[in-house]
Amino acid sequence: MAGRPAAEYRIEDLAHLSGATVRTIRAYQDRGLLPRPERRGRSNVYGDAHLARLRQIADLLDRGYTLASIKELLEAWDAGRGLGGVLGLVAEVNGPWTDEQADRITRAELDATFGGTPDERAVQEAVELGVLERVPGRDDEFLVPSPQELAVAAELYTAGVPLLAIAGHLRELRAQVEHIAARFLEFTTEHVFARYLGHRPPTDEDAAEAASLVRRLRPLAQQTVDAELARAMRIFATRHLQQHLTPGGPPARDDEHRAVVLPAATVQAVHGLVGAANAPAFIAAAAEREVQARTLDALTARAREAAEGAPSP
């Protein structure tokens, strides 16, 4: 029995089947991401291999890969190294990091949850923060990626916190949590994943082992944050209550330590200068020097103003 003849496509047909544009296909060819077509007289002929490659590129782009990294992966594959382990690692990292299931809420339900009065500004803030997502074609319904987060907002509103204050608090909290997540990833990459991802692209075996580690380490970030948040809340809630119950409140402590959130890039730059062990002292010294410099500038400015304002002899 004769085999099925190989499919052949014009570039317009290939674009239609793959979802890419003709211009994109040609750009991929120019960058070496897509093999050149077979020339038949005046026509270029594409096959199933081109269609499969375009679908692979689209899938990797959806997973957050850049075209440069996709080219490296495809070149490794063409050289005989599989992509199975790498794609498995990508799928593991892109998978859900929580057991929480998304839900939907109608606009009427949303308004009823938050006082019964429509608040377009608050809804827009929630959409910008990703607490709500608009459903295409439905103006009266929203997707709720985290029902728990929306429920917390509802409880705070019921307790008397204005909606815009809740949104502002979430923005501040998100920046701090993103800093924690970045530090956890830097820590695990340095001490765990570096040996598997030290070469690009990793072998199938290394990528598969790294994916297994992601599954095992994934809960650790949440567990660590939960434990540390509980510890901090116990300490600061007790102190806060004492401040409100004690007449005049307890005297301020000069040696009290307070956490300050810095951009991950800043912390990494400091580590490069003085090392991780010396980073806290370096940052504290730099901040103290800046405060002293500004104090001296202010004193100098006051002295100059006083001298200029003094009457001439």
Side-chain angles (χ1 to χ4, degrees), residues 62-64 89-97 218:
D62 287 342
R63 297 174 186 269
L89 174 59
V90 172
E92 194 65 48
V93 171
N94 287 346
W97 286 73
R218 177 181 289 162

Side-chain angles (χ1 to χ4, degrees), residues 20-56:
T21 65
V22 170
R23 182 177 179 180
T24 297
I25 293 174
R26 288 177 174 150
Y28 287 168
Q29 289 175 180
D30 292 340
R31 298 188 64 158
L33 290 163
L34 191 69
R36 293 286 177 179
E38 182 180 346
R39 190 73 177 175
R40 299 269 186 85
R42 296 184 178 180
S43 301
N44 289 324
V45 177
Y46 297 83
D48 284 333
H50 293 92
L51 180 59
R53 176 59 60 90
L54 285 171
R55 288 173 173 167
Q56 284 175 334

Side-chain angles (χ1 to χ4, degrees), residues 188-239:
T188 53
T189 298
E190 178 183 357
H191 295 285
V192 179
F193 292 104
R195 60 181 177 272
Y196 300 105
L197 306 179
H199 48 279
R200 298 175 57 188
T203 64
D204 265 7
E205 293 77 12
D206 284 348
E209 181 64 25
S212 176
L213 282 169
V214 170
R215 285 192 295 272
R216 289 160 49 193
L217 297 179
R218 177 181 289 162
L220 297 186
Q222 182 70 50
Q223 292 168 6
T224 302
V225 171
D226 285 347
E228 285 300 309
L229 179 61
R231 182 195 65 83
M233 287 298 295
R234 182 179 68 255
I235 294 172
F236 288 106
T238 301
R239 186 179 303 167

